[in-house]
Amino acid sequence: MAEKNDKASKSIPPYMKALSGSLGGIVEASCLQPIDVIKTRLQLDRSGTYKGIIHCGTTITKSEGVRALWKGLTPFATHLTLKYALRMGSNAVLQSAFKDSQTGNLSHQGRLLSGFGAGVLEALVIVTPFEVVKIRLQQQRGLSPELLKYKGPIHCARMIIREEGVFGLWAGAAPTVMRNGTNQAAMFTAKNAFDGILWNKHEGDRKVLQPWQSMISGFLAGTAGPVCTGPFDVVKTRLMAQSRSGGELKYKGMFHAIQTIYAEEGLRALWKGLLPRLMRIPPGQAIMWAVADQVATMSDEEREEKELDLTSPEVVTKYKSAAEIVNKALQLVISECKPKAKIVDVCEKGDAFIREQTGNMYKNAKKKIERGVAFPTCISVNNTVCHFSPLASDETVLEDGDTVKIDMGCHIDGFIAVVAHTHVLQQGPVTGRAADVIAAANTAAEVALRLVRPGKKNKDVTEAIQKVAAAYDCKIVEGVLSHQMKQFVIDGNKVVLSVSGPDTRVDEAEFEENEVYSIDIVTSTGEGKPKLLDEKQTTIYKRAVDKNYHLKMRASRFIFSEISQKFPIMPFSARALEEKRARLGLVECVNHDLLQPYPVLHEKPGDLVAHIKFTVLLMPNGSDRVTSHPLQELQPTKTVDDPEIKAWLALPTKTKKKGGGKKKKGKKGEKADTADAEAMDTAPNGAASEE
């Protein structure tokens, strides 16, 4: 019941962000070193020698040669490479630490603190000593090497240590910490904001920006820092430039330097070199982010090619852990489905149980494990087909005799287990057409379980389930899709159609070992052609990560930003949003395809609908159905006599191992085979069968 979307939400690891930053730093340093030299000379010019940026550049070129514009390139390039590696890597680590342990979301405050922390760290570890050396080299004037005090970066560092001690390399550390911390807090926050505003790109959505898009976002993000931190940068340069070997220092510290510069040169002097900083930093950030985003994207694509599948025991464990939780959640919801129970309350209990149970898992894992609701709890009654998960203000209640369809999903680290079940609110066995429609869905599910196996094709399943439904004088509901699932992908590109037709076609696909599928069977006593009666009933949506649009309404932008933070990839219920604002904002998001709605569909009044959905792992030893719940006792009016359907039901779900040797008594494998046989015998008559 969803469009195909094979994208996943996955954070890029810190080491790849560090590598992307270092490569961006090399390119930036090579391009922008002349501007940095000019900026430094202007900031150190107390006598007014240079009349401006162009005059400074031409003067340096005439008096010292063109190569002088690249003075200090080695420490500058090394410094940028290491600085950006540390900045990008530490910011990624800090962002992971500040993310909400339950939802995996990063708040605006957490993003600011992560950027500030990364800036402080780079200032203390890398920036200060490298800039001290760079500034000492850049302030030297003259062409003759023998007249220069410092012969090169290493010689400069050794001279500073010899004359001023090791701490001489950390002159001006305080303003550098303030400058870099503030700069990075602003830069990372602004870059994320501009990516979202301009390109609808959000952290972890795997959307690939073009280099020019990264450059625009990076350029804009790099403009705020220089304006805010101008005084810190001027003070830092003055403190780093003064040598302790010459006697008394003019500037005693950061605050003393600010006071002295203000008193002697005026307020504007604290922003000396601002223009060249604006000429260097925003273009530098544009270059760095263009390179960094592309390198990170290449890494993401490589990791995407190496998808985790069922060959990994850890992956199997996560699927089965998610399945165990969702099975228990389903049992809880069934127990809460009683006459006069409010549907919204029951839905909330199902979602809350999943959040609580998943929140208790992997608490102490070294790597952050995302987990929680993969599909909101839905309770659709009688002729309502699917996706009914009302808002908090809805007063709809269950009634005695209702045919209730429960649909829900859970994930651990993006490995998803979904389940749907049909339950009638009554005592004793289910009879009549209600029993027929549930038996049809159950038997079709049993047949699908045996046909979704390596070597079989999706069209084989489509044809078979329609034949089963017809045997019970029921219809398979149109528009229902069974999907392959992958990590963080609930609706993969391999699809099984419920009903084939000229207007509903999918690519032919063959099932393969180590794949995972959500098998979704919906049957009806009516025509099987459901309709959308009221768009206002739609409350479940999923972000369309491949769509981009600049929203016009403020409410829409606010809601979409909240959705991007809280629900970047999995379907969600509008109950999680502020109701009044959500109603206004969601409409524009849906109209421009930023959100994929899951509409509430209905058959005609009086028709009955049944829903069975399960998750199956195509293991090397056979199909492993990991989500299910026993059905009530059914007494359908129809029986299955078709030999082909019986043959399908006779197929085993497990693959028998080849080889000789006597079987030992009491083996678990024999019990499993027996259970399969019993399921096959009882399924055609509508009784419960669980693998």
Side-chain angles (χ1 to χ4, degrees):
M1 298 181 193
E3 295 175 8
K4 294 179 286 181
N5 181 8
D6 209 5
K7 295 199 175 194
S9 174
K10 195 80 171 176
S11 297
I12 298 167
Y15 73 88
M16 278 310 305
K17 289 203 171 184
L19 176 61
S20 67
S22 64
L23 293 175
I26 293 172
V27 177
E28 178 188 337
S30 301
C31 295
L32 302 180
Q33 174 68 1
I35 296 176
D36 191 69
V37 170
I38 292 170
K39 181 216 67 161
T40 302
R41 291 289 180 90
L42 285 172
Q43 288 181 336
L44 295 173
D45 181 27
R46 302 177 196 173
S47 59
T49 303
Y50 304 119
K51 309 304 180 186
I53 295 171
I54 296 175
H55 179 259
C56 180
T58 54
T59 302
I60 293 170
T61 303
K62 288 177 182 178
S63 60
E64 304 173 49
V66 175
R67 291 182 61 184
L69 291 173
W70 274 268
K71 273 187 176 180
L73 176 61
T74 301
F76 185 51
T78 306
H79 146 247
L80 276 190
T81 301
L82 296 177
K83 178 175 76 172
Y84 285 161
L86 180 61
R87 176 190 298 175
M88 302 292 280
S90 62
N91 182 69
V93 171
L94 288 169
Q95 284 192 357
S96 297
F98 282 118
K99 282 182 179 178
D100 186 274
S101 60
Q102 298 295 323
T103 64
N105 298 324
L106 181 67
S107 66
H108 295 303
Q109 183 183 16
R111 193 177 300 278
L112 280 167
L113 290 173
S114 298
F116 189 84
V120 170
L121 189 62
E122 72 178 15
L124 292 174
V125 176
I126 293 171
V127 175
T128 303
F130 273 93
E131 290 222 350
V132 167
V133 172
K134 180 196 73 171
I135 287 170
R136 296 288 178 90
L137 289 171
Q138 288 180 349
Q139 72 175 343
Q140 297 185 120
R141 305 180 187 186
L143 289 169
S144 178
E146 59 271 11
L147 298 178
L148 300 178
K149 179 177 180 179
Y150 306 118
K151 312 303 182 185
I154 297 176
H155 178 258
C156 179
R158 291 172 61 185
M159 287 288 290
I160 292 170
I161 293 171
R162 183 184 306 161
E163 295 176 354
E164 306 170 40
V166 173
F167 289 107
L169 291 172
W170 272 267
T176 308
V177 163
M178 293 302 299
R179 182 198 68 170
N180 282 56
T182 307
N183 256 340
Q184 302 331 310
M187 190 269 291
F188 280 108
T189 303
K191 175 62 165 61
N192 182 73
F194 284 123
D195 281 348
I197 293 168
L198 298 176
W199 324 119
N200 192 29
K201 167 78 175 78
H202 298 276
E203 184 79 20
D205 63 8
R206 290 195 177 188
K207 182 175 181 178
V208 180
L209 292 182
Q210 295 297 318
W212 64 269
Q213 292 176 313
S214 296
M215 291 186 78
I216 291 174
S217 295
F219 185 94
L220 293 174
T223 56
V227 176
C228 297
T229 62
F232 294 129
D233 191 62
V234 171
V235 170
K236 174 218 60 147
T237 303
R238 297 285 179 93
L239 290 174
M240 288 179 175
Q242 64 181 1
S243 172
R244 288 187 173 90
S245 61
E248 187 178 351
L249 299 177
K250 178 172 184 177
Y251 305 116
K252 312 300 183 185
M254 181 175 69
F255 294 110
H256 180 258
I258 292 174
Q259 292 173 346
T260 304
I261 294 169
Y262 174 72
E264 294 180 353
E265 304 172 52
L267 182 64
R268 291 180 61 184
L270 290 170
W271 274 269
K272 270 190 174 182
L274 176 61
L275 186 56
R277 279 191 82 203
L278 288 173
M279 291 179 63
R280 181 182 69 80
I281 292 176
Q285 291 303 301
I287 294 168
M288 191 278 292
W289 280 109
V291 175
D293 281 351
Q294 293 304 306
V295 172
T297 299
M298 290 164 56
S299 157
D300 214 19
E301 289 172 351
E302 288 175 4
R303 291 187 305 119
E304 200 169 346
E305 290 174 3
K306 300 176 182 177
E307 288 173 338
L308 293 170
D309 61 19
L310 300 180
T311 55
S312 166
E314 184 182 3
V315 169
V316 176
T317 299
K318 288 175 180 176
Y319 271 119
K320 291 190 173 182
S321 296
E324 182 180 357
I325 290 172
V326 82
N327 285 335
K328 289 179 179 178
L330 174 59
Q331 185 174 350
L332 170 68
V333 170
I334 291 173
S335 70
E336 294 291 334
C337 286
K338 300 171 184 176
K340 303 305 178 183
K342 283 178 65 174
I343 291 179
V344 64
D345 292 343
V346 181
C347 290
E348 282 287 4
K349 287 179 181 178
D351 291 345
F353 180 85
I354 291 174
R355 287 193 293 267
E356 179 187 358
Q357 294 296 307
T358 55
N360 291 331
M361 302 187 68
Y362 296 98
K363 280 185 173 180
N364 300 319
K366 292 182 180 178
K367 179 185 174 184
K368 182 173 178 56
I369 302 292
E370 294 184 29
R371 55 214 187 272
V373 175
F375 196 87
T377 303
C378 302
I379 297 178
S380 307
V381 179
N382 298 329
N383 66 311
T384 304
V385 175
C386 56
H387 304 152
F388 189 73
S389 186
L391 298 175
S393 58
D394 191 277
E395 297 293 330
T396 307
V397 297
L398 298 172
E399 300 291 352
D400 191 38
D402 280 346
T403 300
V404 178
K405 281 84 65 185
I406 303 163
D407 188 5
M408 60 203 318
C410 170
H411 80 96
I412 303 289
D413 196 20
F415 298 105
I416 302 163
V418 291
V419 68
H421 181 77
T422 303
H423 181 79
V424 180
L425 298 188
Q426 67 173 60
Q427 299 295 321
V430 180
T431 59
R433 293 298 282 157
D436 287 342
V437 75
I438 297 173
N442 182 62
T443 306
E446 292 292 341
V447 168
L449 174 63
R450 288 156 174 80
L451 294 181
V452 178
R453 58 171 59 196
K456 289 286 187 179
K457 295 184 177 178
N458 53 355
K459 66 178 183 179
D460 300 332
V461 180
T462 302
E463 294 166 359
I465 62 175
Q466 290 182 75
K467 189 167 188 176
V468 171
Y472 287 93
D473 194 20
C474 293
K475 297 282 189 181
I476 294 291
V477 173
E478 294 180 0
V480 180
L481 301 177
S482 296
H483 287 275
Q484 182 187 7
M485 296 193 296
K486 300 178 182 179
Q487 188 180 22
F488 290 102
V489 181
I490 198 169
D491 48 3
N493 286 337
K494 278 192 178 181
V495 172
V496 180
L497 267 178
S498 56
V499 179
S500 58
D503 298 327
T504 52
R505 292 183 179 179
V506 296
D507 294 336
E508 185 176 293
E510 184 175 305
F511 304 114
E512 298 178 40
E513 192 174 287
N514 295 316
E515 291 180 336
V516 180
Y517 284 88
S518 161
I519 303 302
D520 205 348
I521 309 291
V522 183
T523 54
S524 172
T525 59
E527 296 178 355
K529 297 180 179 180
K531 291 180 171 57
L532 173 63
L533 300 182
D534 184 2
E535 288 186 354
K536 291 181 180 178
Q537 286 188 321
T538 302
T539 60
I540 297 178
Y541 303 88
K542 183 165 75 72
R543 262 200 66 205
V545 296
D546 55 341
K547 300 296 182 182
N548 183 20
Y549 178 77
H550 183 64
L551 295 163
K552 302 296 188 295
M553 292 174 56
R554 183 179 178 183
S556 304
R557 294 194 297 271
F558 180 88
I559 285 295
F560 190 68
S561 175
E562 184 179 359
I563 291 167
S564 299
Q565 289 290 324
K566 293 182 178 179
F567 312 105
I569 195 69
M570 296 293 183
F572 65 93
S573 168
R575 281 196 309 275
L577 309 172
E578 196 274 310
E579 188 169 332
K580 186 177 179 181
R581 183 174 277 177
R583 286 188 182 278
L584 292 171
L586 290 171
V587 174
E588 188 182 7
C589 294
V590 171
N591 288 343
H592 294 285
D593 299 324
L594 297 180
L595 295 178
Q596 172 193 323
Y598 288 75
V600 179
L601 303 176
H602 301 266
E603 282 279 71
K604 292 179 180 178
D607 293 339
L608 296 176
V609 178
H611 190 187
I612 300 291
K613 180 162 63 177
F614 61 89
T615 303
V616 59
L617 315 182
L618 303 189
M619 304 294 290
N621 65 339
S623 300
D624 191 356
R625 177 178 178 174
V626 293
T627 58
S628 61
H629 191 278
L631 293 170
Q632 296 160 285
E633 182 183 349
L634 303 178
Q635 294 179 0
T637 64
K638 309 291 183 181
T639 58
V640 174
D641 298 318
D642 188 289
E644 189 174 21
I645 297 176
K646 288 187 173 182
W648 287 328
L649 290 167
L651 294 171
T653 59
K654 301 293 183 183
T655 304
K656 292 183 179 180
K657 292 183 179 179
K658 295 180 180 180
K662 295 182 180 180
K663 291 183 179 179
K664 294 182 180 180
K665 292 182 179 180
K667 286 285 185 184
K668 289 182 180 178
E670 290 185 59
K671 290 182 180 179
D673 289 341
T674 303
D676 281 342
E678 289 174 354
M680 288 180 258
D681 290 339
T682 58
N685 295 320
S689 65
E690 303 303 324
E691 300 304 321

